[in-house]
Amino acid sequence: MLGGVAQAAPSSPVGSGNVTVADPSVPRPPGQPCVVQLFSDDTFNDFGTRPYSYAPPAGCGTHWAKVVLEADFSVTAGVQYDRTASIWLGGVNIYFGTTQEPGSSLAPSWHVERDLTDYSALFRNGGQGQAVIYNLVDSTYTGVIHGSARLLFYPASVVAPAPRVPDAVYSLGSDPVGNTVTLNNSSSLMAATLTLPRNVERAYLDVFTQSQSGDEFWYTCVPDQYAAETQECGGGNFREAEVSIDGQPAGVAPVYPWIYTGGIDLFIWKPTPGVQTLNFMPYRVDLTPFAGVLSSGSPHTVAVSVQGANSYFSAAAALLVYQDAHAKQVTGAVVSNTLVGQPPTPTIGSTLTQDASGNVTGAITTKLSRHFVIEGYANTSHGRVTTTVDQTVGFADTQTFDITATDFHQISDQLTTVQGVSRSRIGRFLSGEFEANFSYPLHVDYNQTNEPDGSYSILTSVKQGYDQHAGLSLGGFPLYSSDVHNQVAGSDTLLINSSFEITGHSGQQTTQDFAFKDSLGGCYSGSVSSANNLVTAYSTGKACPGGQNRVLWFAHPDGSPYLGDSLLPW
């Protein structure tokens, strides 16, 4: 990094089998950061947590231009599953992802970063934290995971002033140090009852919902009534996180179909894993229409559930609160909420048919689209602010089957979309407008051919994407917009014997393309290709003017969420 401009990798990874991604690093402001090491070369070889103590950086102030988490992980060569990895401080999640699977002679290592500037309030006081990677190590599963993490605090300056950030951060988890919450079914809740400051003027919820166990491949499942006929998991394939305040629907967080490095076909993801596999990004829900309610001084329960959860989802969430510095008491109310009365119940359709020989063909569709508007006001020191959150959330899934005695062919096509805008008004004056649109396309083509000797081959191709558009306007005038596009596509053929052991694979190839651009001239592009589990091509900047990446330090090229006026440094 130089002056907030992303630089090309110092050396080419072509020919390497180590983890290689096209994602950008977090852009940084100029100047030297203060560094706080959270833990160093911890070993994860059991089901214990790894605690650490945190103290704020000495002599670095309490308001920073940027705060960045950097973490480095590795796993020894051998056999090991992908594992869920998370880092916590004071109950709040500061990293969430999964690990790369090793090979018999490959010990992969990887680096992740997360922009935590919005969590600055968390870092102003000391506290206890822990890293969690539950990892079984025995004579069969031999891979030992190692990890280190540190926080980088970039001091504010005239060139890089500190943005306005939330005044408080609250976890929805029950562990005071921090851990995920298990949501087994649609009725399971991750909830916190909080008595918040009496002067809340804005509130947001960062939500992670990670599929586990029976839900790991939720995006291929079918409704229960078709499970036996299609030889697939039941429970359906609609998953969506529902946010509530005091039992009232307050927002929606779409579930991203992350695919882990042992998922579907483990060879597809070596050396390039799926979208965000190693480093999840949270989805941010705007709860500002409830600011007046949350300021009442009474306890309020903020909760998250996952509609359709079928054993199970691991969840984490953090409530980010802005306070009115010039008011001891903010009052207000929610005046309209059309999400109430719109249950997340999809429409199911089927064209499945079965002939006399038992061959099954046809498709199952699952669709849901909800448009809702939530409006509330808060009486603040700068007047009555009315905030309206207007969103349309869509889900469309088609599972197509062609099943015979010797072949099982399933194509999963899924698209989750969000079109949303949050508007704030003081009287008739439109004081702020923030637009956030998302698209999560997923295509999985799974084709299994059975041989007479009981062995079989599985040809799999996967394409998944993450697209985000964000835009900020003040007083009706556009100030900033940005677009993120991240796509991974891969394929491979697995060979499995009659004892269900993998005997080989062939034809592995994977590509990742990442692109970012914004209205201030920022641009990042990256691409990586592999074949036979080795990097064959790698480039950055080719799609940008002059063939160079240039990202301003306050931009969010990785797809991490924005927060109102912290989007820009003034």
Side-chain angles (χ1 to χ4, degrees):
M1 287 297 201
L2 179 62
V5 179
Q7 301 296 305
S11 60
S12 172
V14 171
S16 171
N18 197 24
V19 178
T20 306
V21 298
D23 302 63
S25 58
V26 174
R28 318 297 175 88
Q32 290 298 312
C34 304
V35 179
V36 175
Q37 193 77 31
L38 301 181
F39 55 91
S40 183
D41 198 27
D42 274 5
T43 299
F44 299 88
N45 57 0
D46 56 26
F47 285 82
T49 63
R50 300 297 183 266
Y52 64 87
S53 296
Y54 165 80
C60 204
T62 57
H63 294 81
W64 307 287
K66 202 150 197 176
V67 182
V68 179
L69 172 80
E70 292 186 346
D72 293 281
F73 298 99
S74 64
V75 57
T76 58
V79 177
Q80 193 52 266
Y81 287 124
D82 53 73
R83 302 297 187 182
T84 296
S86 57
I87 303 174
W88 307 79
L89 177 62
V92 176
N93 178 267
I94 58 174
Y95 164 73
F96 202 169
T98 61
T99 65
Q100 184 80 358
E101 289 198 354
S104 58
S105 59
L106 177 68
S109 59
W110 61 98
H111 176 83
V112 297
E113 301 181 357
R114 182 177 169 189
D115 185 346
L116 291 171
T117 311
D118 290 339
Y119 290 65
S120 292
L122 176 68
F123 304 124
R124 292 181 185 136
N125 299 297
Q128 298 303 307
Q130 62 186 13
V132 182
I133 306 178
Y134 298 139
N135 186 34
L136 172 65
V137 177
D138 58 18
S139 59
T140 300
Y141 302 104
T142 57
V144 177
I145 298 170
H146 296 267
S148 301
R150 62 182 188 163
L151 289 169
L152 282 67
F153 298 84
Y154 289 83
S157 66
V158 174
V159 177
R164 189 184 178 198
V165 295
D167 297 290
V169 182
Y170 303 89
S171 173
L172 263 59
S174 58
D175 189 318
V177 181
N179 213 328
T180 56
V181 175
T182 297
L183 303 177
N184 281 305
N185 52 52
S186 299
S187 300
S188 303
L189 291 177
M190 172 177 59
T193 300
L194 305 166
T195 301
L196 299 174
R198 291 177 176 265
N199 58 347
V200 175
E201 63 176 352
R202 285 193 286 153
Y204 302 84
L205 190 70
D206 280 356
V207 179
F208 293 97
T209 48
Q210 182 213 12
S211 61
Q212 295 270 13
S213 190
D215 258 329
E216 179 174 350
F217 303 108
W218 60 272
Y219 43 82
T220 67
C221 295
V222 298
D224 288 336
Q225 63 268 35
Y226 304 112
E229 184 178 13
T230 61
Q231 305 170 41
E232 254 299 357
C233 48
N237 49 57
F238 176 73
R239 303 290 187 274
E240 183 181 80
E242 316 298 330
V243 180
S244 65
I245 295 178
D246 298 331
Q248 179 181 168
V252 169
V255 175
Y256 191 82
W258 292 308
I259 301 176
Y260 316 131
T261 57
I264 308 178
D265 180 334
L266 72 164
F267 296 104
I268 293 177
W269 316 116
K270 298 176 180 179
T272 300
V275 172
Q276 296 184 5
T277 295
L278 304 180
N279 190 13
F280 304 156
M281 289 294 114
Y283 181 86
R284 182 162 287 170
V285 180
D286 189 349
L287 300 177
T288 302
F290 294 84
V293 174
L294 295 172
S295 298
S296 68
S298 300
H300 295 282
T301 300
V302 182
V304 174
S305 62
V306 174
Q307 181 65 26
N310 193 26
S311 187
Y312 61 95
F313 273 76
S314 289
L319 180 66
L320 310 177
V321 169
Y322 283 95
Q323 296 171 237
D324 186 340
H326 303 290
K328 292 183 178 180
Q329 178 71 65
V330 168
T331 60
V334 175
V335 297
S336 176
N337 186 349
T338 64
L339 188 56
V340 176
Q342 289 197 67
T345 306
T347 300
I348 308 297
S350 172
T351 61
L352 289 179
T353 61
Q354 188 169 160
D355 64 19
S357 299
N359 300 324
V360 176
T361 57
I364 302 167
T365 57
T366 304
K367 296 181 180 180
L368 179 65
S369 180
R370 290 190 292 172
H371 172 253
F372 61 90
V373 178
I374 304 175
E375 181 176 305
Y377 68 88
N379 296 314
T380 72
S381 63
H382 37 276
R384 173 172 286 195
V385 180
T386 299
T387 300
T388 303
V389 174
D390 187 326
Q391 283 193 332
T392 299
V393 182
F395 179 87
D397 181 277
T398 301
Q399 303 288 330
T400 304
F401 294 91
D402 188 354
I403 305 171
T404 68
T406 57
D407 294 281
F408 178 94
H409 190 192
Q410 178 181 359
I411 299 175
S412 304
D413 276 305
Q414 187 177 105
L415 179 64
T416 300
T417 57
V418 179
Q419 289 87 39
V421 60
S422 296
R423 298 183 179 93
S424 295
R425 289 182 169 85
I426 301 177
R428 294 185 177 181
F429 175 68
L430 180 63
S431 57
E433 180 175 286
F434 181 69
E435 179 186 8
N437 299 330
F438 298 85
S439 178
Y440 303 161
L442 175 67
H443 174 86
V444 180
D445 189 324
Y446 179 97
N447 195 350
Q448 176 177 320
T449 301
N450 301 320
E451 302 296 338
D453 64 357
S455 65
Y456 54 97
S457 63
I458 305 171
L459 170 61
T460 303
S461 62
V462 180
K463 181 184 290 185
Q464 62 174 164
Y466 178 98
D467 294 282
Q468 178 195 81
H469 170 78
L472 175 68
S473 300
L474 292 179
F477 297 96
L479 283 184
Y480 182 81
S481 64
S482 67
D483 292 276
V484 173
H485 170 74
N486 187 3
Q487 178 179 284
V488 175
S491 61
D492 185 62
T493 298
L494 271 180
L495 303 177
I496 301 175
N497 65 22
S498 58
S499 299
F500 308 109
E501 299 166 330
I502 296 175
T503 58
H505 75 104
S506 64
Q508 183 276 336
Q509 56 181 359
T510 302
T511 61
Q512 182 190 7
D513 293 294
F514 199 112
F516 166 85
K517 62 180 180 180
D518 67 19
S519 58
L520 298 180
C523 181
Y524 172 89
S525 70
S527 65
V528 59
S529 300
S530 66
N532 298 318
N533 304 117
L534 298 176
V535 176
T536 56
Y538 178 83
S539 67
T540 64
K542 283 190 174 181
C544 293
Q548 292 290 322
N549 293 322
R550 181 175 181 83
V551 181
L552 297 173
W553 65 268
F554 54 82
H556 293 227
D558 56 356
S560 58
Y562 296 89
L563 240 185
D565 55 12
S566 66
L567 178 66
L568 295 174
W570 53 77

